[in-house]
Amino acid sequence: MGGTGGTDSAGGVDSTGGAGGAGGMRRDGPSPAARPGAVAGPGAAAGAGAPAGAPAVADPGAAARQGAVTGPGAVADSGAVTGPGAAAGPPPASRPGEPTAPGAAAGAAATARSRRPVVAALMLGMGLAAIDGTIVATAVPQIVGDLGGFAVFSWLFSGYLLAVTVTLPVYGKLSDTFGRKPVLVAGIILFLAGSLLCAAAWNMAALIAFRVVQGLGGGALQGTVQTIAADLYPLKERPKIQARLSTVWAASAVAGPAVGGLLATYADWRWIFLINLPVGAVALWLVVCHLHEPARPRPAVRPRIDWAGALAVFATGALLLTALVQGGVAWPWLSAPSLGLLGATAVLAGLTVVIERRAAEPVIPGWVWRRRTIASVNLALGAMGLLMVAPTVFLPTYAQSVLGLGPIAAGFVLSVMTLSWPVSAALADRVYNRIGFRRTAIIGMTGALLVLAAFPLLPFPGAAWQPALLMLLLGAALGLFQLPLIVGVQSTVGWSERGTTTASVLFCRQVGQSVGAALFGAIANGVLASRLAASPLPGLPDDLDAVSHALEDPAALSAAATDALRRAVDTAVDHVFVGAAGAAVLALLVLVLVAPRRFPVLAEHESAPPAPKPAGG
């Protein structure tokens, strides 16, 4: 199979008891209820294992469930019930793009106005990254016809995916060290430069190389946009921006194929890349002019970039993704190239761990995996990336090969998932503010598990509305699963660690998709080969791509052969969805066994950027 698709919406406290990032807080100190600004009430934060020493709440809805009332100076953004002294506390520190106004109403209006250009820039930047895969896919026949290179055209997607995935941790660390704005500006410029080069490509090798350049910019766009969105909005408002970003992904999934097809048919495939330039220019102008990050305190020691760690992470990810993407496609899984790449990946992974342990400022800090909250979210979203391969990669094949739909109708069966996802994400805060992040995510993944398990029960050949209904329900379930975890994990860390945390989450999700494409591709092809080998009909193809091409020309097949191929595809896709249901079970096990009962949410002024010291102070 080729590259994978995906849908997006996409630590100040040490959950293991170690020193955290916000002033070295620990979970094993005295009860927070004994200090001003902590959550009071029976068994409130102390029973939940909240961080000691700083105003914090254990989870949105925790105070409401336990009848807690916040004390003086507490922050109302956490979802707790505010008391008489709440408004009298010190105002939270300003966040990027949020100037402090004299009054509450005036401050809210000024904040909303100042955020609008930045939010527009974020949506445009996310749109560039989201539409890229779908708009290019529809123009592949024209690109191959013009440049040649049919044997390697899948690297147009694999090379881009590779560059995005392996650079996410690097950009996350850079944004925490030097700020979000320079990283986002550099990412947009790099993406636009790659787009311009792609439009000027003279052969397939050059186009693939320039797609990698695009991916280097796309990694900065995806991770930094999500981080800035969390910086801009307090906890109770983050579902709004996350729902908007999810809407961008939904619109891109629907509009990308149509726009790409129109440009390839009536203009030239090069315009698919040139159209990025005006959109990216507007996003760049908005970021430069309207994104104003607070002044940061000058560090006592000049920040050091972990170039050795960045190179090791890049090389390890490159080898792993190359093995996963090309294994079973360009060469057999048990061949020398596959085994060599996987072996080299294991060696480089061990070397990366050694380098990162010795680095003063590692690209992937150890606390990302030592803190239960972050580690559990990483693993859960990695499992979600794994299961997402079933609908995004195999459902269109099922719709065309089994149901006999055309490409447009098959795309609609999948796109309904992108319609319910942002709606569910926008409403998720009404659930997690009452019952908490973890329980909401469990409900969402339980729904996804039921939908995935129901897919193999569909009749053969069935009607198009049946898988479409399942995808509508799946989108709603995954919106309820993903958004609480992303918002929750971002709310447990301070500003200086939010970029690294967000990047680690997106990195694990991307790796999950790559692993899923390789694993489920092997399962589908294995089931197909077994079913067709047992068929008494001679001359049947034996892999998914060959079967799809054979069914595109039904006149070349007998009625019996056509029925046998469709039943084989139906069985293969059913096995893939069973595997996706297994991935959903893994996500649930992580949430139940690894994730803390309540996320240790920091108060808003604790998660804001640090204030600079006054001159001479």
Side-chain angles (χ1 to χ4, degrees), residues 5-8 126-127 129-135 137-138 245-260 392 407-408 410-412 414-419 422:
T7 308
D8 223 73
M126 185 62 78
I131 203 171
D132 185 81
T134 55
I135 197 173
T138 55
L245 295 178
S246 297
T247 303
V248 170
W249 281 95
S252 300
V254 176
V259 174
T392 57
I408 296 177
F412 175 77
L414 174 62
S415 66
V416 294
M417 180 176 67
T418 66
L419 301 179

PDB file of all heavy atoms in Angstrom, residues 5-8 126-127 129-135 137-138 245-260 392 407-408 410-412 414-419 422:
ATOM      1  N   GLY A   5      -3.431   8.033   5.186  1.00  0.00           N
ATOM      2  CA  GLY A   5      -4.167   9.255   5.399  1.00  0.00           C
ATOM      3  C   GLY A   5      -4.426   9.444   6.850  1.00  0.00           C
ATOM      4  O   GLY A   5      -4.209   8.604   7.678  1.00  0.00           O
ATOM      5  N   GLY A   6      -4.988  10.549   7.239  1.00  0.00           N
ATOM      6  CA  GLY A   6      -5.254  10.808   8.643  1.00  0.00           C
ATOM      7  C   GLY A   6      -6.248  11.921   8.807  1.00  0.00           C
ATOM      8  O   GLY A   6      -6.476  12.706   7.921  1.00  0.00           O
ATOM      9  N   THR A   7      -6.910  12.040   9.937  1.00  0.00           N
ATOM     10  CA  THR A   7      -7.838  13.087  10.246  1.00  0.00           C
ATOM     11  C   THR A   7      -7.467  13.705  11.573  1.00  0.00           C
ATOM     12  O   THR A   7      -7.229  13.004  12.526  1.00  0.00           O
ATOM     13  CB  THR A   7      -9.265  12.531  10.318  1.00  0.00           C
ATOM     14  OG1 THR A   7      -9.539  11.812   9.153  1.00  0.00           O
ATOM     15  CG2 THR A   7     -10.248  13.639  10.477  1.00  0.00           C
ATOM     16  N   ASP A   8      -7.553  14.940  11.497  1.00  0.00           N
ATOM     17  CA  ASP A   8      -7.160  15.585  12.705  1.00  0.00           C
ATOM     18  C   ASP A   8      -8.274  16.316  13.421  1.00  0.00           C
ATOM     19  O   ASP A   8      -9.083  16.783  12.771  1.00  0.00           O
ATOM     20  CB  ASP A   8      -6.094  16.577  12.366  1.00  0.00           C
ATOM     21  CG  ASP A   8      -4.979  16.521  13.371  1.00  0.00           C
ATOM     22  OD1 ASP A   8      -4.259  15.583  13.335  1.00  0.00           O
ATOM     23  OD2 ASP A   8      -4.843  17.391  14.131  1.00  0.00           O
ATOM     24  N   MET A 126      -2.756  25.350   9.108  1.00  0.00           N
ATOM     25  CA  MET A 126      -3.202  23.967   9.223  1.00  0.00           C
ATOM     26  C   MET A 126      -3.816  23.490   7.920  1.00  0.00           C
ATOM     27  O   MET A 126      -3.652  22.327   7.527  1.00  0.00           O
ATOM     28  CB  MET A 126      -4.218  23.850  10.360  1.00  0.00           C
ATOM     29  CG  MET A 126      -4.662  22.414  10.636  1.00  0.00           C
ATOM     30  SD  MET A 126      -3.311  21.346  11.141  1.00  0.00           S
ATOM     31  CE  MET A 126      -3.127  21.829  12.855  1.00  0.00           C
ATOM     32  N   GLY A 127      -4.523  24.379   7.222  1.00  0.00           N
ATOM     33  CA  GLY A 127      -5.113  24.007   5.937  1.00  0.00           C
ATOM     34  C   GLY A 127      -4.063  23.620   4.916  1.00  0.00           C
ATOM     35  O   GLY A 127      -4.259  22.694   4.122  1.00  0.00           O
ATOM     36  N   ALA A 129      -1.193  22.173   5.487  1.00  0.00           N
ATOM     37  CA  ALA A 129      -0.716  20.829   5.797  1.00  0.00           C
ATOM     38  C   ALA A 129      -1.800  19.785   5.579  1.00  0.00           C
ATOM     39  O   ALA A 129      -1.521  18.671   5.135  1.00  0.00           O
ATOM     40  CB  ALA A 129      -0.219  20.781   7.243  1.00  0.00           C
ATOM     41  N   ALA A 130      -3.069  20.146   5.874  1.00  0.00           N
ATOM     42  CA  ALA A 130      -4.147  19.161   5.814  1.00  0.00           C
ATOM     43  C   ALA A 130      -4.523  18.792   4.392  1.00  0.00           C
ATOM     44  O   ALA A 130      -4.790  17.632   4.078  1.00  0.00           O
ATOM     45  CB  ALA A 130      -5.374  19.704   6.559  1.00  0.00           C
ATOM     46  N   ILE A 131      -4.563  19.773   3.503  1.00  0.00           N
ATOM     47  CA  ILE A 131      -5.035  19.523   2.147  1.00  0.00           C
ATOM     48  C   ILE A 131      -3.962  18.914   1.258  1.00  0.00           C
ATOM     49  O   ILE A 131      -4.250  18.404   0.170  1.00  0.00           O
ATOM     50  CB  ILE A 131      -5.559  20.838   1.515  1.00  0.00           C
ATOM     51  CG1 ILE A 131      -6.545  20.531   0.379  1.00  0.00           C
ATOM     52  CG2 ILE A 131      -4.409  21.703   1.015  1.00  0.00           C
ATOM     53  CD1 ILE A 131      -7.250  21.773  -0.138  1.00  0.00           C
ATOM     54  N   ASP A 132      -2.729  18.932   1.728  1.00  0.00           N
ATOM     55  CA  ASP A 132      -1.608  18.554   0.868  1.00  0.00           C
ATOM     56  C   ASP A 132      -1.734  17.139   0.315  1.00  0.00           C
ATOM     57  O   ASP A 132      -1.584  16.913  -0.882  1.00  0.00           O
ATOM     58  CB  ASP A 132      -0.293  18.687   1.660  1.00  0.00           C
ATOM     59  CG  ASP A 132       0.919  18.427   0.792  1.00  0.00           C
ATOM     60  OD1 ASP A 132       1.337  19.339   0.073  1.00  0.00           O
ATOM     61  OD2 ASP A 132       1.422  17.292   0.824  1.00  0.00           O
ATOM     62  N   GLY A 133      -2.010  16.163   1.198  1.00  0.00           N
ATOM     63  CA  GLY A 133      -2.043  14.778   0.736  1.00  0.00           C
ATOM     64  C   GLY A 133      -3.191  14.495  -0.214  1.00  0.00           C
ATOM     65  O   GLY A 133      -3.021  13.835  -1.247  1.00  0.00           O
ATOM     66  N   THR A 134      -4.396  15.007   0.118  1.00  0.00           N
ATOM     67  CA  THR A 134      -5.567  14.697  -0.699  1.00  0.00           C
ATOM     68  C   THR A 134      -5.533  15.396  -2.051  1.00  0.00           C
ATOM     69  O   THR A 134      -5.998  14.843  -3.045  1.00  0.00           O
ATOM     70  CB  THR A 134      -6.851  15.092   0.044  1.00  0.00           C
ATOM     71  OG1 THR A 134      -6.781  16.478   0.432  1.00  0.00           O
ATOM     72  CG2 THR A 134      -7.028  14.255   1.292  1.00  0.00           C
ATOM     73  N   ILE A 135      -5.001  16.596  -2.112  1.00  0.00           N
ATOM     74  CA  ILE A 135      -4.994  17.334  -3.372  1.00  0.00           C
ATOM     75  C   ILE A 135      -3.957  16.762  -4.339  1.00  0.00           C
ATOM     76  O   ILE A 135      -4.145  16.768  -5.556  1.00  0.00           O
ATOM     77  CB  ILE A 135      -4.758  18.841  -3.125  1.00  0.00           C
ATOM     78  CG1 ILE A 135      -5.145  19.663  -4.344  1.00  0.00           C
ATOM     79  CG2 ILE A 135      -3.324  19.120  -2.734  1.00  0.00           C
ATOM     80  CD1 ILE A 135      -5.097  21.166  -4.108  1.00  0.00           C
ATOM     81  N   ALA A 137      -3.000  13.515  -4.363  1.00  0.00           N
ATOM     82  CA  ALA A 137      -3.364  12.143  -4.740  1.00  0.00           C
ATOM     83  C   ALA A 137      -4.168  12.101  -6.026  1.00  0.00           C
ATOM     84  O   ALA A 137      -3.991  11.193  -6.855  1.00  0.00           O
ATOM     85  CB  ALA A 137      -4.142  11.491  -3.602  1.00  0.00           C
ATOM     86  N   THR A 138      -5.061  13.073  -6.239  1.00  0.00           N
ATOM     87  CA  THR A 138      -5.914  13.038  -7.424  1.00  0.00           C
ATOM     88  C   THR A 138      -5.153  13.354  -8.702  1.00  0.00           C
ATOM     89  O   THR A 138      -5.633  13.067  -9.790  1.00  0.00           O
ATOM     90  CB  THR A 138      -7.072  14.042  -7.274  1.00  0.00           C
ATOM     91  OG1 THR A 138      -6.533  15.343  -7.012  1.00  0.00           O
ATOM     92  CG2 THR A 138      -7.979  13.654  -6.121  1.00  0.00           C
ATOM     93  N   LEU A 245      -9.913  23.754  14.178  1.00  0.00           N
ATOM     94  CA  LEU A 245      -8.839  23.061  13.473  1.00  0.00           C
ATOM     95  C   LEU A 245      -9.326  21.720  12.922  1.00  0.00           C
ATOM     96  O   LEU A 245      -8.920  21.305  11.828  1.00  0.00           O
ATOM     97  CB  LEU A 245      -7.648  22.852  14.412  1.00  0.00           C
ATOM     98  CG  LEU A 245      -6.951  24.134  14.890  1.00  0.00           C
ATOM     99  CD1 LEU A 245      -5.809  23.793  15.849  1.00  0.00           C
ATOM    100  CD2 LEU A 245      -6.422  24.942  13.713  1.00  0.00           C
ATOM    101  N   SER A 246     -10.199  21.029  13.655  1.00  0.00           N
ATOM    102  CA  SER A 246     -10.777  19.789  13.145  1.00  0.00           C
ATOM    103  C   SER A 246     -11.637  20.051  11.921  1.00  0.00           C
ATOM    104  O   SER A 246     -11.665  19.251  10.980  1.00  0.00           O
ATOM    105  CB  SER A 246     -11.617  19.109  14.237  1.00  0.00           C
ATOM    106  OG  SER A 246     -10.829  18.733  15.335  1.00  0.00           O
ATOM    107  N   THR A 247     -12.335  21.198  11.912  1.00  0.00           N
ATOM    108  CA  THR A 247     -13.141  21.560  10.750  1.00  0.00           C
ATOM    109  C   THR A 247     -12.257  21.789   9.533  1.00  0.00           C
ATOM    110  O   THR A 247     -12.636  21.461   8.404  1.00  0.00           O
ATOM    111  CB  THR A 247     -13.972  22.819  11.060  1.00  0.00           C
ATOM    112  OG1 THR A 247     -14.783  22.573  12.213  1.00  0.00           O
ATOM    113  CG2 THR A 247     -14.864  23.184   9.892  1.00  0.00           C
ATOM    114  N   VAL A 248     -11.069  22.351   9.758  1.00  0.00           N
ATOM    115  CA  VAL A 248     -10.138  22.547   8.645  1.00  0.00           C
ATOM    116  C   VAL A 248      -9.757  21.202   8.032  1.00  0.00           C
ATOM    117  O   VAL A 248      -9.739  21.039   6.799  1.00  0.00           O
ATOM    118  CB  VAL A 248      -8.878  23.292   9.132  1.00  0.00           C
ATOM    119  CG1 VAL A 248      -7.798  23.291   8.058  1.00  0.00           C
ATOM    120  CG2 VAL A 248      -9.227  24.726   9.513  1.00  0.00           C
ATOM    121  N   TRP A 249      -9.468  20.228   8.874  1.00  0.00           N
ATOM    122  CA  TRP A 249      -9.136  18.894   8.365  1.00  0.00           C
ATOM    123  C   TRP A 249     -10.313  18.284   7.628  1.00  0.00           C
ATOM    124  O   TRP A 249     -10.147  17.649   6.576  1.00  0.00           O
ATOM    125  CB  TRP A 249      -8.715  17.981   9.523  1.00  0.00           C
ATOM    126  CG  TRP A 249      -7.318  18.217   9.967  1.00  0.00           C
ATOM    127  CD1 TRP A 249      -6.897  19.019  10.997  1.00  0.00           C
ATOM    128  CD2 TRP A 249      -6.128  17.664   9.387  1.00  0.00           C
ATOM    129  NE1 TRP A 249      -5.530  18.998  11.088  1.00  0.00           N
ATOM    130  CE2 TRP A 249      -5.028  18.173  10.123  1.00  0.00           C
ATOM    131  CE3 TRP A 249      -5.884  16.794   8.336  1.00  0.00           C
ATOM    132  CZ2 TRP A 249      -3.717  17.845   9.833  1.00  0.00           C
ATOM    133  CZ3 TRP A 249      -4.577  16.455   8.048  1.00  0.00           C
ATOM    134  CH2 TRP A 249      -3.505  16.976   8.787  1.00  0.00           C
ATOM    135  N   ALA A 250     -11.539  18.463   8.157  1.00  0.00           N
ATOM    136  CA  ALA A 250     -12.719  17.911   7.506  1.00  0.00           C
ATOM    137  C   ALA A 250     -12.936  18.548   6.136  1.00  0.00           C
ATOM    138  O   ALA A 250     -13.186  17.863   5.136  1.00  0.00           O
ATOM    139  CB  ALA A 250     -13.945  18.126   8.389  1.00  0.00           C
ATOM    140  N   ALA A 251     -12.845  19.887   6.086  1.00  0.00           N
ATOM    141  CA  ALA A 251     -13.028  20.576   4.805  1.00  0.00           C
ATOM    142  C   ALA A 251     -11.946  20.183   3.804  1.00  0.00           C
ATOM    143  O   ALA A 251     -12.210  20.032   2.599  1.00  0.00           O
ATOM    144  CB  ALA A 251     -13.022  22.087   5.031  1.00  0.00           C
ATOM    145  N   SER A 252     -10.729  19.984   4.291  1.00  0.00           N
ATOM    146  CA  SER A 252      -9.634  19.605   3.394  1.00  0.00           C
ATOM    147  C   SER A 252      -9.851  18.204   2.819  1.00  0.00           C
ATOM    148  O   SER A 252      -9.559  17.950   1.649  1.00  0.00           O
ATOM    149  CB  SER A 252      -8.305  19.650   4.150  1.00  0.00           C
ATOM    150  OG  SER A 252      -8.048  20.945   4.643  1.00  0.00           O
ATOM    151  N   ALA A 253     -10.368  17.295   3.651  1.00  0.00           N
ATOM    152  CA  ALA A 253     -10.616  15.937   3.176  1.00  0.00           C
ATOM    153  C   ALA A 253     -11.661  15.914   2.072  1.00  0.00           C
ATOM    154  O   ALA A 253     -11.595  15.102   1.145  1.00  0.00           O
ATOM    155  CB  ALA A 253     -11.062  15.052   4.345  1.00  0.00           C
ATOM    156  N   VAL A 254     -12.652  16.827   2.159  1.00  0.00           N
ATOM    157  CA  VAL A 254     -13.706  16.873   1.152  1.00  0.00           C
ATOM    158  C   VAL A 254     -13.275  17.679  -0.064  1.00  0.00           C
ATOM    159  O   VAL A 254     -13.496  17.282  -1.208  1.00  0.00           O
ATOM    160  CB  VAL A 254     -14.996  17.458   1.770  1.00  0.00           C
ATOM    161  CG1 VAL A 254     -16.071  17.612   0.711  1.00  0.00           C
ATOM    162  CG2 VAL A 254     -15.493  16.571   2.904  1.00  0.00           C
ATOM    163  N   ALA A 255     -12.643  18.848   0.174  1.00  0.00           N
ATOM    164  CA  ALA A 255     -12.319  19.751  -0.930  1.00  0.00           C
ATOM    165  C   ALA A 255     -11.054  19.359  -1.674  1.00  0.00           C
ATOM    166  O   ALA A 255     -10.925  19.646  -2.871  1.00  0.00           O
ATOM    167  CB  ALA A 255     -12.163  21.182  -0.392  1.00  0.00           C
ATOM    168  N   GLY A 256     -10.102  18.706  -0.989  1.00  0.00           N
ATOM    169  CA  GLY A 256      -8.828  18.379  -1.615  1.00  0.00           C
ATOM    170  C   GLY A 256      -8.944  17.599  -2.910  1.00  0.00           C
ATOM    171  O   GLY A 256      -8.413  18.021  -3.958  1.00  0.00           O
ATOM    172  N   PRO A 257      -9.648  16.454  -2.917  1.00  0.00           N
ATOM    173  CA  PRO A 257      -9.761  15.702  -4.169  1.00  0.00           C
ATOM    174  C   PRO A 257     -10.441  16.489  -5.283  1.00  0.00           C
ATOM    175  O   PRO A 257     -10.037  16.396  -6.443  1.00  0.00           O
ATOM    176  CB  PRO A 257     -10.605  14.484  -3.755  1.00  0.00           C
ATOM    177  CG  PRO A 257     -10.365  14.331  -2.293  1.00  0.00           C
ATOM    178  CD  PRO A 257     -10.217  15.722  -1.767  1.00  0.00           C
ATOM    179  N   ALA A 258     -11.473  17.269  -4.931  1.00  0.00           N
ATOM    180  CA  ALA A 258     -12.175  18.027  -5.969  1.00  0.00           C
ATOM    181  C   ALA A 258     -11.275  19.104  -6.569  1.00  0.00           C
ATOM    182  O   ALA A 258     -11.187  19.253  -7.793  1.00  0.00           O
ATOM    183  CB  ALA A 258     -13.440  18.657  -5.374  1.00  0.00           C
ATOM    184  N   VAL A 259     -10.588  19.865  -5.712  1.00  0.00           N
ATOM    185  CA  VAL A 259      -9.709  20.925  -6.210  1.00  0.00           C
ATOM    186  C   VAL A 259      -8.552  20.338  -7.017  1.00  0.00           C
ATOM    187  O   VAL A 259      -8.202  20.830  -8.087  1.00  0.00           O
ATOM    188  CB  VAL A 259      -9.179  21.775  -5.033  1.00  0.00           C
ATOM    189  CG1 VAL A 259      -8.140  22.786  -5.519  1.00  0.00           C
ATOM    190  CG2 VAL A 259     -10.324  22.491  -4.336  1.00  0.00           C
ATOM    191  N   GLY A 260      -7.957  19.263  -6.494  1.00  0.00           N
ATOM    192  CA  GLY A 260      -6.858  18.629  -7.214  1.00  0.00           C
ATOM    193  C   GLY A 260      -7.283  18.116  -8.573  1.00  0.00           C
ATOM    194  O   GLY A 260      -6.564  18.275  -9.572  1.00  0.00           O
ATOM    195  N   THR A 392      -9.449   5.029   6.683  1.00  0.00           N
ATOM    196  CA  THR A 392      -8.885   5.982   5.722  1.00  0.00           C
ATOM    197  C   THR A 392      -8.214   5.320   4.532  1.00  0.00           C
ATOM    198  O   THR A 392      -8.221   5.874   3.440  1.00  0.00           O
ATOM    199  CB  THR A 392      -7.869   6.910   6.419  1.00  0.00           C
ATOM    200  OG1 THR A 392      -6.855   6.113   7.036  1.00  0.00           O
ATOM    201  CG2 THR A 392      -8.534   7.775   7.467  1.00  0.00           C
ATOM    202  N   PRO A 407     -15.472   6.525  -7.625  1.00  0.00           N
ATOM    203  CA  PRO A 407     -14.535   7.187  -6.701  1.00  0.00           C
ATOM    204  C   PRO A 407     -15.177   8.289  -5.870  1.00  0.00           C
ATOM    205  O   PRO A 407     -14.883   8.430  -4.680  1.00  0.00           O
ATOM    206  CB  PRO A 407     -13.462   7.741  -7.642  1.00  0.00           C
ATOM    207  CG  PRO A 407     -13.540   6.879  -8.865  1.00  0.00           C
ATOM    208  CD  PRO A 407     -14.982   6.517  -9.013  1.00  0.00           C
ATOM    209  N   ILE A 408     -16.068   9.095  -6.488  1.00  0.00           N
ATOM    210  CA  ILE A 408     -16.680  10.204  -5.751  1.00  0.00           C
ATOM    211  C   ILE A 408     -17.597   9.673  -4.655  1.00  0.00           C
ATOM    212  O   ILE A 408     -17.560  10.122  -3.503  1.00  0.00           O
ATOM    213  CB  ILE A 408     -17.448  11.133  -6.710  1.00  0.00           C
ATOM    214  CG1 ILE A 408     -16.479  11.786  -7.698  1.00  0.00           C
ATOM    215  CG2 ILE A 408     -18.211  12.191  -5.928  1.00  0.00           C
ATOM    216  CD1 ILE A 408     -17.153  12.670  -8.720  1.00  0.00           C
ATOM    217  N   ALA A 410     -17.493   6.715  -3.285  1.00  0.00           N
ATOM    218  CA  ALA A 410     -16.666   6.041  -2.278  1.00  0.00           C
ATOM    219  C   ALA A 410     -16.034   7.051  -1.334  1.00  0.00           C
ATOM    220  O   ALA A 410     -15.932   6.811  -0.125  1.00  0.00           O
ATOM    221  CB  ALA A 410     -15.585   5.210  -2.968  1.00  0.00           C
ATOM    222  N   GLY A 411     -15.593   8.186  -1.877  1.00  0.00           N
ATOM    223  CA  GLY A 411     -15.040   9.235  -1.025  1.00  0.00           C
ATOM    224  C   GLY A 411     -16.074   9.801  -0.069  1.00  0.00           C
ATOM    225  O   GLY A 411     -15.749  10.145   1.077  1.00  0.00           O
ATOM    226  N   PHE A 412     -17.335   9.866  -0.493  1.00  0.00           N
ATOM    227  CA  PHE A 412     -18.382  10.382   0.384  1.00  0.00           C
ATOM    228  C   PHE A 412     -18.612   9.448   1.563  1.00  0.00           C
ATOM    229  O   PHE A 412     -18.857   9.896   2.691  1.00  0.00           O
ATOM    230  CB  PHE A 412     -19.680  10.567  -0.391  1.00  0.00           C
ATOM    231  CG  PHE A 412     -20.841  10.984   0.475  1.00  0.00           C
ATOM    232  CD1 PHE A 412     -20.955  12.289   0.919  1.00  0.00           C
ATOM    233  CD2 PHE A 412     -21.811  10.057   0.855  1.00  0.00           C
ATOM    234  CE1 PHE A 412     -22.008  12.670   1.726  1.00  0.00           C
ATOM    235  CE2 PHE A 412     -22.860  10.434   1.668  1.00  0.00           C
ATOM    236  CZ  PHE A 412     -22.970  11.742   2.104  1.00  0.00           C
ATOM    237  N   LEU A 414     -16.496   7.773   3.139  1.00  0.00           N
ATOM    238  CA  LEU A 414     -15.472   8.070   4.139  1.00  0.00           C
ATOM    239  C   LEU A 414     -15.624   9.475   4.709  1.00  0.00           C
ATOM    240  O   LEU A 414     -15.414   9.697   5.902  1.00  0.00           O
ATOM    241  CB  LEU A 414     -14.076   7.915   3.523  1.00  0.00           C
ATOM    242  CG  LEU A 414     -12.887   8.319   4.392  1.00  0.00           C
ATOM    243  CD1 LEU A 414     -12.826   7.462   5.648  1.00  0.00           C
ATOM    244  CD2 LEU A 414     -11.588   8.194   3.608  1.00  0.00           C
ATOM    245  N   SER A 415     -16.004  10.435   3.873  1.00  0.00           N
ATOM    246  CA  SER A 415     -15.990  11.836   4.311  1.00  0.00           C
ATOM    247  C   SER A 415     -17.033  12.129   5.374  1.00  0.00           C
ATOM    248  O   SER A 415     -16.912  13.131   6.093  1.00  0.00           O
ATOM    249  CB  SER A 415     -16.196  12.769   3.111  1.00  0.00           C
ATOM    250  OG  SER A 415     -17.503  12.618   2.560  1.00  0.00           O
ATOM    251  N   VAL A 416     -18.073  11.306   5.505  1.00  0.00           N
ATOM    252  CA  VAL A 416     -19.065  11.588   6.554  1.00  0.00           C
ATOM    253  C   VAL A 416     -18.422  11.510   7.934  1.00  0.00           C
ATOM    254  O   VAL A 416     -18.898  12.143   8.884  1.00  0.00           O
ATOM    255  CB  VAL A 416     -20.266  10.618   6.453  1.00  0.00           C
ATOM    256  CG1 VAL A 416     -21.047  10.846   5.186  1.00  0.00           C
ATOM    257  CG2 VAL A 416     -19.812   9.170   6.546  1.00  0.00           C
ATOM    258  N   MET A 417     -17.341  10.744   8.064  1.00  0.00           N
ATOM    259  CA  MET A 417     -16.632  10.689   9.338  1.00  0.00           C
ATOM    260  C   MET A 417     -16.049  12.053   9.695  1.00  0.00           C
ATOM    261  O   MET A 417     -16.034  12.454  10.862  1.00  0.00           O
ATOM    262  CB  MET A 417     -15.526   9.645   9.281  1.00  0.00           C
ATOM    263  CG  MET A 417     -14.725   9.502  10.554  1.00  0.00           C
ATOM    264  SD  MET A 417     -13.500   8.178  10.492  1.00  0.00           S
ATOM    265  CE  MET A 417     -12.363   8.829   9.271  1.00  0.00           C
ATOM    266  N   THR A 418     -15.583  12.782   8.683  1.00  0.00           N
ATOM    267  CA  THR A 418     -14.999  14.092   8.936  1.00  0.00           C
ATOM    268  C   THR A 418     -16.059  15.150   9.207  1.00  0.00           C
ATOM    269  O   THR A 418     -15.727  16.264   9.612  1.00  0.00           O
ATOM    270  CB  THR A 418     -14.139  14.525   7.732  1.00  0.00           C
ATOM    271  OG1 THR A 418     -14.980  14.735   6.589  1.00  0.00           O
ATOM    272  CG2 THR A 418     -13.100  13.485   7.393  1.00  0.00           C
ATOM    273  N   LEU A 419     -17.336  14.826   8.997  1.00  0.00           N
ATOM    274  CA  LEU A 419     -18.408  15.761   9.318  1.00  0.00           C
ATOM    275  C   LEU A 419     -18.805  15.657  10.780  1.00  0.00           C
ATOM    276  O   LEU A 419     -19.059  16.673  11.439  1.00  0.00           O
ATOM    277  CB  LEU A 419     -19.621  15.489   8.415  1.00  0.00           C
ATOM    278  CG  LEU A 419     -19.382  15.594   6.904  1.00  0.00           C
ATOM    279  CD1 LEU A 419     -20.658  15.272   6.140  1.00  0.00           C
ATOM    280  CD2 LEU A 419     -18.874  16.977   6.527  1.00  0.00           C
ATOM    281  N   PRO A 422     -15.646  16.969  13.948  1.00  0.00           N
ATOM    282  CA  PRO A 422     -15.538  18.292  14.588  1.00  0.00           C
ATOM    283  C   PRO A 422     -16.750  18.656  15.426  1.00  0.00           C
ATOM    284  O   PRO A 422     -16.620  19.384  16.417  1.00  0.00           O
ATOM    285  CB  PRO A 422     -15.362  19.242  13.398  1.00  0.00           C
ATOM    286  CG  PRO A 422     -15.868  18.502  12.214  1.00  0.00           C
ATOM    287  CD  PRO A 422     -15.612  17.058  12.482  1.00  0.00           C
TER     288      PRO A 422
END
